[in-house]
Amino acid sequence: MAAQREVIPTVEASNESHELGELDSQAAIAKTATPEIVIALCGPLGTPLHEVAKEFKSLLSSSDYGYESVNVIRLSSEIRKQAGIPETEHSINQLIEAGNTLRKSKGNRILASLAVRQIALHRENIQQESNKDIPKTVGGETIPTVTPKTCHIIDSIKHIEELELLRSIYGNMLHVIGVYSPIEVRVQKLERIKGPKDQIHELIDRDSGEELGHGQQVGDTFPQADFFMRIDSGTDSQRKDRARRFLDLMLGTKIITPTIAERAMYTAFSAARNSACLSRQVGASITNQSGEILATGWNDVPRPFGGLYESIDIGTTTDNDHRCWNKDGGHCFNDSEKNKIADAVVDKLIEKRIIAEEKKTEAFAVIRKDSQLKTLIEFSRAVHAEMHALLSAGSTKGDQIKGGKLFVTTYPCHSCARHIVAAGVSEVYFLEPYRKSLATKLHDDALTEQESDGKKVRIIPFDGVAPSRYLSFFSTGVNGRKNKEGKMQLSPAFPVTAPTIEAVATLEGIVVKRLQSLDQ
C-alpha cells in the first residue's frame, strides 16, 4: 500500500510533524479517502461489454495500476438467478423479459441494489482476509483503516433508475463507461450469439428504450456516462488502448490532454448552460476541418436586431428579458400551442358528434400525448443551438464551415438538419438521443447514421471523456506535475476524485436492509 501513502498521508507519516492526539477533523476525514472504485458499463445490445469488462480487469490487476482485487458483477447472472434461467439457455429476449418482470415486481432499482449488496459483501470479505478491518484508536480518536485497492465492475446497467441509485451511493467513486459500436457491427455480433427465437432488430429497439416504465432504457441511461468508449474494429488492441486511456485519466498516472472532439463537446456542453429554455438546455459548437472552434451556440429566444436574450452581468435587470420564463407567467409556448390544437380537434369531434361530450378529457389525452402532435416543435420561440452556432460562425467565418464538424449535446432535430446539410457540415457528433427527430427520415439522401457511408453527412455518437468529467480528468492534481527540482513527477495510481469510504458503507447498508425486506 505504499502507493496510497504517497497520495494520502498515513498515520505514520503524520507522526513526523504532529502528535497523534492532535490530528484535527479535516486530517481524519482525509484519511478515509479510498482507492476503491466502481465501474458501471452501459451500452446498446450487441456491444462488447463483457470483453471490455475483462480488459479492465486485466489492466487494473497489472503492475501498472496495482489493484489487488477486481470484482466483476454480471447483472445478467443476477437475472438468471432470480428468474431460474439456466446458464445454458441463451435467448436474449428471454433475459429481457425476465429483467422487466423483476423490475416490475421489485422496483426499477432492484438489479443495482443486488450489485450494491455484492460490492458491500466483497469489501467485507477482502478486509477480513487481509486483517485490515481493525481500526486503531489513539487518544480516544478512531483512525480510519487503509482500504485495499479494489475495483468493482458492474456489467451492465440498463435503466436510468439503476444509475441514479449507484450515483447516490458512490458519487465520484462511480465511473460510468458508455461502450458503443456502430449498428452494423452490433448486428453482426448478434447474428452469432442470438437464440433461435430472437429477432435482432426488434431486440435492438427494445433494448434502446421500451415504453414500459420497468422496461430497459439504455437510450436514456447511456448518455449519462462519464466516458464514451467507441469499439468498432473488434480488435483486442483497440479495446486495450481505449481502456488504458480512461484508466490513466481516472487514476492520474499520465499527463493526457483532451482530443479535438473532447474540447469541442465540452465547449458545446458549457454553451448549453447559457440557455433558459423551459424544455431542455442544448449547446453546440462548430469546428473547421483543422479542429479550430469557429463558434458556439445554445437554444434561446432571439432578441431584436440580432443575437439571443442573455444575462450581461449580475446587475442586469430582467425588465427587458422576454424569454419564456419571464413572459406571461412563464410557460412553454410550444406546449401551449399544441394544447390549443388538441382542444380544437376534440371540440370539432364533439361538434360533429363523432365522440360524446363526456369523452372530452380522454380524447384530449390521446390526441395530445399519443399522437404525432406531441412531437411537433414548430411553435417554439427559441432559436436552436445548432442554428445559433451556424449563424454565429457564418457572420465571421462562414467560408470555414464547409467540411467542418458540428458537436451538439442533443441529437439534431429535423428542423436543424436541413440547415446543417445546406451549410456544408461533414459530420455531426451528439451526446443525447432525441426520439422526436425525423432528421434521417426526411433527409435520407443527405444524412445517415451508418458510419461507413462516406457519401452523406454522418450523425455519430460522441467518443471520449464526457463533458461532466472534463475538468476533473484534465486538471492538474493537488501535488502538481513536477517536483522542487522541476522534473516531471506523477503520483502512483489513485483515483483523481477519491471520496471517503465511511459514508459509502452507511449508504450501502440502507440498500442491503431494503433488499432483506424484499426477500421476506
Side-chain angles (χ1 to χ4, degrees):
M1 300 310 298
Q4 185 173 355
R5 291 192 181 97
E6 292 185 49
V7 180
I8 297 176
T10 61
V11 172
E12 290 78 9
S14 297
N15 259 328
E16 296 177 5
S17 56
H18 295 285
E19 292 297 324
L20 290 178
E22 296 177 354
L23 287 173
D24 60 22
S25 299
Q26 184 176 355
I29 292 173
K31 287 176 175 25
T32 68
T34 175
E36 186 173 340
I37 52 177
V38 179
I39 294 175
L41 303 180
C42 178
L45 197 64
T47 51
L49 294 169
H50 306 328
E51 293 85 346
V52 169
K54 291 177 182 177
E55 196 66 68
F56 274 123
K57 181 174 183 176
S58 175
L59 286 170
L60 284 163
S61 302
S62 70
S63 58
D64 290 343
Y65 305 105
Y67 268 71
E68 302 167 46
S69 177
V70 182
N71 172 34
V72 178
I73 302 170
R74 290 280 296 270
L75 292 189
S76 59
S77 297
E78 287 288 352
I79 294 174
R80 289 181 181 276
K81 184 190 302 183
Q82 296 287 326
I85 302 174
E87 291 289 340
T88 53
E89 294 187 21
H90 301 294
S91 170
I92 300 172
N93 191 61
Q94 186 181 17
L95 274 177
I96 293 176
E97 289 287 354
N100 288 353
T101 300
L102 188 59
R103 280 187 287 266
K104 184 177 181 180
S105 61
K106 296 189 176 182
N108 291 332
R109 297 177 174 84
I110 180 61
L111 289 171
S113 298
L114 293 169
V116 169
R117 181 164 66 183
Q118 283 202 40
I119 290 171
L121 290 173
H122 184 84
R123 186 188 307 111
E124 183 179 340
N125 291 336
I126 288 292
Q127 289 178 337
Q128 289 176 352
E129 291 172 5
S130 58
N131 294 320
K132 293 177 179 177
D133 59 330
I134 304 175
K136 300 177 181 178
T137 302
V138 180
E141 179 180 10
T142 298
I143 307 301
T145 59
V146 176
T147 306
K149 295 182 76 171
T150 305
C151 175
H152 312 275
I153 301 174
I154 303 175
D155 175 12
S156 59
I157 58 175
K158 297 284 189 179
H159 198 284
I160 192 67
E161 291 188 35
E162 295 171 354
L163 174 57
E164 290 171 353
L165 177 66
L166 293 173
R167 281 222 165 110
S168 68
I169 295 172
Y170 298 109
N172 287 333
M173 184 192 290
L174 175 70
H175 300 273
V176 182
I177 312 296
V179 185
Y180 172 80
S181 294
I183 183 66
E184 54 266 30
V185 175
R186 288 187 277 137
V187 169
Q188 290 175 5
K189 179 178 180 179
L190 290 171
E191 285 285 0
R192 298 193 299 269
I193 66 172
K194 72 181 183 71
K197 296 182 180 180
D198 292 334
Q199 301 297 317
I200 291 176
H201 289 285
E202 292 181 6
L203 291 173
I204 289 175
D205 288 341
R206 289 194 68 183
D207 177 75
S208 175
E210 296 181 284
E211 294 300 323
L212 299 171
H214 54 271
Q216 293 190 176
Q217 296 180 4
V218 174
D220 293 331
T221 311
F222 180 86
Q224 306 303 316
D226 300 305
F227 187 86
F228 298 95
M229 184 180 294
R230 174 188 170 86
I231 307 293
D232 54 6
S233 71
T235 62
D236 293 341
S237 59
Q238 186 190 45
R239 286 196 303 271
K240 186 174 184 177
D241 289 346
R242 300 307 312 285
R244 185 180 289 279
R245 181 174 187 262
F246 166 75
L247 291 176
D248 285 337
L249 282 165
M250 189 264 291
L251 296 171
T253 51
K254 286 186 179 179
I255 295 176
I256 299 176
T257 55
T259 64
I260 290 173
E262 287 167 337
R263 292 200 304 269
M265 189 58 83
Y266 178 71
T267 302
F269 182 81
S270 299
R273 272 59 204 161
N274 294 318
S275 171
C277 183
L278 299 179
S279 296
R280 64 172 70 207
Q281 292 179 305
V282 182
S285 67
I286 296 176
T287 68
N288 60 17
Q289 294 185 47
S290 301
E292 175 190 357
I293 295 176
L294 302 177
T296 60
W298 56 91
N299 60 320
D300 225 325
V301 178
R303 67 185 180 196
F305 311 114
L308 310 182
Y309 286 107
E310 58 183 327
S311 299
I312 305 301
D313 57 50
I314 59 174
T316 302
T317 177
T318 60
D319 292 347
N320 296 318
D321 191 330
H322 296 283
R323 286 179 283 187
C324 300
W325 68 268
N326 197 35
K327 187 177 177 66
D328 298 337
H331 64 92
C332 177
F333 282 78
N334 194 53
D335 284 343
S336 296
E337 290 299 316
K338 289 190 288 188
N339 289 341
K340 291 177 184 177
I341 292 173
D343 266 330
V345 171
V346 171
D347 288 342
K348 186 61 68 174
L349 290 173
I350 293 173
E351 178 187 333
K352 298 294 184 181
R353 297 186 178 180
I354 296 174
I355 63 171
E357 177 73 34
E358 57 267 23
K359 293 288 185 178
K360 182 173 182 176
T361 301
E362 183 179 345
F364 176 87
V366 170
I367 294 171
R368 181 65 180 84
K369 302 295 184 182
D370 295 332
S371 75
Q372 287 182 310
L373 180 63
K374 70 177 181 179
T375 67
L376 294 182
I377 55 177
E378 282 75 6
F379 310 112
S380 172
R381 299 177 65 231
V383 172
H384 288 194
E386 302 94 316
M387 284 301 304
H388 186 206
L390 287 170
L391 286 167
S392 298
S395 64
T396 56
K397 301 179 180 180
D399 58 327
Q400 298 186 53
I401 295 176
K402 191 170 184 179
K405 299 177 181 179
L406 176 71
F407 294 81
V408 61
T409 56
T410 301
Y411 189 105
C413 72
H414 41 274
S415 292
C416 288
R418 53 181 175 260
H419 298 287
I420 292 170
V421 172
V425 171
S426 64
E427 293 177 348
V428 178
Y429 292 85
F430 69 95
L431 283 177
E432 298 182 27
Y434 184 58
R435 294 177 185 174
K436 294 181 180 181
S437 181
L438 302 175
T440 54
K441 180 179 181 180
L442 297 179
H443 302 283
D444 60 349
D445 61 309
L447 290 168
T448 182
E449 294 178 358
Q450 298 289 330
E451 300 185 30
S452 58
D453 189 351
K455 296 181 179 180
K456 300 177 182 178
V457 179
R458 299 186 300 166
I459 305 179
I460 305 171
F462 172 72
D463 182 41
V465 174
S468 58
R469 284 295 180 109
Y470 187 92
L471 293 180
S472 59
F473 278 11
F474 293 118
S475 297
T476 301
V478 293
N479 296 324
R481 291 173 173 172
K482 63 181 181 180
N483 59 22
K484 294 180 179 179
E485 288 74 40
K487 186 177 180 180
M488 183 183 75
Q489 67 173 10
L490 293 172
S491 300
F494 198 89
V496 296
T497 56
T500 172
I501 193 65
E502 301 298 311
V504 168
T506 301
L507 295 172
E508 285 175 338
I510 295 173
V511 174
V512 172
K513 186 175 181 180
R514 168 64 177 160
L515 274 176
Q516 291 172 344
S517 67
L518 288 174
D519 292 338
Q520 292 175 355

